[in-house]
Amino acid sequence: DAKTTQPPSMDCAEGRAANLPCNHSTISGNEYVYWYRQIHSQGPQYIIHGLKNNETNEMASLIITEDRKSSTLILPHATLRDTAVYYCIVRTGANNLFFGTGTRLTVIP
Amino acid sequence: DVKVTQSSRYLVKRTGEKVFLECVQDMDHENMFWYRQDPGLGLRLIYFSYDVKMKEKGDIPEGYSVSREKKERFSLILESASTNQTSMYLCASKQGVNQPQHFGDGTRLSIL
């Protein structure tokens, strides 16, 4: 499975867009990119996933570069409730998820 | 929305007890999973099931067993609880091959 690299922490002002990057330079052609977040003491929450096209849902947008070696999760209008650890995962089949250290996003009032 | 419900948020048991953790999903998903999450070790897969009465070992099955008698319910059993099984236990479910897993809120289990 492809390894992912994320910055350990980021801050974002409330109401602004939060852009969380993820590098996955060893991704293979059939591996999907999944994003989850985890708020302290709760289970991971699925956000979005994609293969090669950009995706958008009610929570976020996922931008995958054309060479698929990196992606960006965009929270368009961050709120205080978006403060969490965000995990980028690259997998085929998504049976055994490996959560790395993720990015701790802090939304500042 | 997918709903994965774990029976307890917090549980305290004694060494040697048999412990049952229950998980129910309401989306008719084929696949269900049990993980444990520990600081510094991330998520580790214990067991998963791809159909009723079917199960597969994950990375750390020792000391655990599972039961899936109905499609919506997946139970994790600690046969004889030990202190090193103190952890956060997470249940998840998903439908198709590349579909995402959806998690419950977790059970924080303490073995004294």
Side-chain angles (χ1 to χ4, degrees), chain A residues 10-88:
Chain A
M10 293 180 62
D11 292 338
C12 177
E14 189 177 17
R16 305 298 291 265
N19 296 278
L20 291 91
C22 180
N23 284 319
H24 32 79
S25 58
T26 59
I27 193 170
S28 63
N30 58 353
E31 287 184 309
Y32 281 70
V33 180
Y34 300 84
W35 281 85
Y36 285 80
R37 70 182 182 185
Q38 190 168 23
I39 297 167
H40 184 61
S41 295
Q42 295 183 20
Q45 180 186 22
Y46 163 73
I47 302 172
I48 200 167
H49 76 292
L51 182 62
K52 53 185 175 182
N53 297 323
N54 296 338
E55 302 287 345
T56 295
N57 63 20
E58 65 279 2
M59 288 182 68
S61 295
L62 173 61
I63 308 298
I64 302 174
T65 57
E66 195 168 340
D67 63 7
R68 302 209 323 123
K69 293 184 176 182
S70 65
S71 60
T72 301
L73 177 74
I74 301 171
L75 308 178
H77 306 286
T79 71
L80 299 179
R81 287 179 296 179
D82 292 323
T83 292
V85 180
Y86 287 76
Y87 297 97
C88 166

Side-chain angles (χ1 to χ4, degrees), chain A residues 30-32 34 36 38 40-46 48-49 58 87 91-100, chain B residues 9-10 31 33 35 37 42-43 45 48 59 88 90 94 96-106 108:
Chain A
N30 58 353
E31 287 184 309
Y32 281 70
Y34 300 84
Y36 285 80
Q38 190 168 23
H40 184 61
S41 295
Q42 295 183 20
Q45 180 186 22
Y46 163 73
I48 200 167
H49 76 292
E58 65 279 2
Y87 297 97
R91 278 219 58 106
T92 304
N95 265 354
N96 191 351
L97 295 181
F98 175 73
F99 282 51
Chain B
R9 288 299 307 276
Y10 301 94
N31 305 279
F33 306 81
Y35 293 88
Q37 186 174 31
L43 230 58
L45 182 65
F48 69 99
D59 297 326
M88 167 76 106
L90 291 161
K94 78 179 181 93
V97 173
N98 289 308
Q99 293 303 304
Q101 292 184 32
H102 297 269
F103 286 83
D105 279 336
R108 192 166 291 281

Side-chain angles (χ1 to χ4, degrees), chain B residues 23-95:
Chain B
C23 175
V24 176
Q25 50 95 3
D26 67 355
M27 287 300 291
D28 203 36
H29 283 173
E30 303 287 339
N31 305 279
M32 296 188 74
F33 306 81
W34 275 106
Y35 293 88
R36 61 180 284 180
Q37 186 174 31
D38 300 287
L41 296 177
L43 230 58
R44 291 182 291 168
L45 182 65
I46 304 171
Y47 268 98
F48 69 99
S49 168
Y50 53 89
D51 201 352
V52 174
K53 296 192 187 294
M54 306 304 288
K55 61 184 179 185
E56 292 283 344
K57 293 180 179 179
D59 297 326
I60 51 162
E62 297 77 21
Y64 303 94
S65 63
V66 291
S67 172
R68 189 144 180 226
E69 296 297 319
K70 293 185 178 181
K71 192 175 187 179
E72 67 271 19
R73 187 179 297 271
F74 192 34
S75 303
L76 179 70
I77 303 151
L78 284 66
E79 297 292 343
S80 178
S82 65
T83 55
N84 63 10
Q85 292 178 310
T86 291
S87 186
M88 167 76 106
Y89 288 87
L90 291 161
C91 174
S93 73
K94 78 179 181 93
Q95 185 61 333

